[in-house]
Amino acid sequence: MPITLLHRLAEQDLPVAVNQGSDVDAVRVLSLAGHVKATIPKPVRTLDGYDQPPATVMAITSLGLSMIKRFPRR
C-alpha cells in the first residue's frame, strides 16, 4: 500500500533504491500523486516477460509529509 511505503521511506536516509516490484508500483503511485520525487526506469523486456529495474526515491515532498501526519501509522 503506498501510504505504508511512504511511512517506511520517511524513516530512511534518502535517496533510497526500491527493488521489489510491488514497492516500485507504490512509488509510481506516490510520485504521480506528488508525494515523492523519484526516478522510475521503464520495465525491460526479457525472454521471460519484463524485469523492473529499481526505482530511486530522492525526496518526500511537503505534500507527502502532510499525508504522513494526516494518516499516522497504526
Side-chain angles (χ1 to χ4, degrees), residues 54-66:
T56 304
V57 178
M58 275 83 69
I60 299 174
T61 65
S62 58
L63 180 60
L65 293 173
S66 69

Side-chain angles (χ1 to χ4, degrees), residues 13-73:
D13 292 329
L14 300 177
V16 172
V18 177
N19 298 313
Q20 190 175 2
S22 60
D23 285 345
V24 173
D25 289 339
V27 168
R28 190 173 280 114
V29 170
L30 291 169
S31 179
L32 289 170
H35 298 159
V36 298
K37 291 187 181 187
T39 57
I40 307 166
K42 293 184 178 187
V44 177
R45 186 166 177 93
T46 65
L47 294 174
D48 297 325
Y50 287 91
D51 184 36
Q52 176 64 58
T56 304
V57 178
M58 275 83 69
I60 299 174
T61 65
S62 58
L63 180 60
L65 293 173
S66 69
M67 291 299 289
I68 290 170
K69 290 177 185 174
R70 185 170 294 149
F71 299 99
R73 189 179 270 185

